[in-house]
Amino acid sequence: MNQVEMERMEARRLPAGNVIGVLLEQHAQIRELYAAVRNSTGPDRRDAFDRLRTLLAAHEAGEQGVLRPVSRQVVGQRIPAAHEEEEAEVARVMAELEGLDVAGDRFAEQFARFARVLSAHAVSEEDEEYPAVRAGRSDEELEEMGVRLLAGRLELAAWPDGSFAELLDRARSVYKA
């Protein structure tokens, strides 16, 4: 069983709308999209990369605005701070990727680095942060968090494209409200 299947299986075990289930499903979608970028060429690669940027911006902002405040209450500052540092690295590499030709060798090299960083980050969250939040909150609270995360994602889906930094800023504003 691959990582995408494991994330989806775990998400299905949780009540519908549970924030951890929503985040696990998003991790699976992100993994599928970076596989699509890696395995495609031309306009298909550009399209997959644009969809990945958009989902990733919404996902990271949702974690920062919905999950992290609770995570800090449950596990303290160290783990959430480490995950935010990882997310800052993801954003730096994404900014580099945006400036490259998706058909070029440099893009392929940088994207492979990006995929490794992103995958390690997701595993770290799934191993350290998600179980603690899940154990530290009631099913009702986790569902309320999931509803907030999904509502923000719906609002973001209607927005036009932009750079990763712009998308992330817009998404952060949605989850601050």
Side-chain angles (χ1 to χ4, degrees):
M1 184 177 318
N2 67 32
Q3 190 70 33
V4 169
E5 292 166 339
M6 291 184 342
E7 288 164 344
R8 287 211 164 108
M9 186 173 71
E10 182 63 24
R12 284 191 298 267
R13 288 183 182 149
L14 298 169
N18 178 296
V19 69
I20 302 303
V22 172
L23 292 170
L24 287 169
E25 176 58 32
Q26 288 179 354
H27 278 187
Q29 292 170 2
I30 289 165
R31 288 181 193 282
E32 287 174 334
L33 283 170
Y34 64 68
V37 172
R38 185 179 57 241
N39 297 328
S40 61
T41 59
D44 291 339
R45 177 177 277 179
R46 169 54 61 193
D47 179 61
F49 182 65
D50 289 343
R51 287 184 292 131
L52 174 61
R53 288 180 323 114
T54 301
L55 175 57
L56 190 57
H59 174 78
E60 296 300 346
E63 283 181 332
Q64 292 166 8
V66 176
L67 182 76
R68 293 279 148 64
V70 173
S71 182
R72 283 187 175 85
Q73 293 171 357
V74 174
V75 298
Q77 294 295 323
R78 187 183 59 78
I79 291 172
H83 291 158
E84 288 178 351
E85 285 178 29
E86 294 166 0
E87 290 163 358
E89 175 64 12
V90 166
R92 280 190 294 277
V93 177
M94 180 60 82
E96 292 173 25
L97 286 168
E98 288 176 320
L100 299 174
D101 177 5
V102 297
D105 291 338
R106 182 87 173 113
F107 179 89
E109 292 167 9
Q110 284 295 93
F111 192 79
R113 177 176 156 240
F114 171 77
R116 286 189 303 274
V117 168
L118 192 58
S119 182
H121 169 66
V123 168
S124 177
E125 288 176 333
E126 291 170 11
D127 289 348
E128 298 173 343
E129 195 169 14
Y130 293 4
V133 169
R134 190 172 159 193
R137 291 296 183 258
S138 69
D139 287 342
E140 293 79 20
E141 290 169 308
L142 293 170
E143 186 176 331
E144 288 171 14
M145 292 168 67
V147 166
R148 186 167 170 230
L149 193 70
L150 289 169
R153 181 75 180 104
L154 285 174
E155 182 175 338
L156 292 168
W159 288 5
D161 210 14
S163 73
F164 184 74
E166 292 168 335
L167 293 168
L168 194 55
D169 284 344
R170 288 181 205 155
R172 285 177 176 148
S173 72
V174 166
Y175 289 112
K176 282 184 181 179

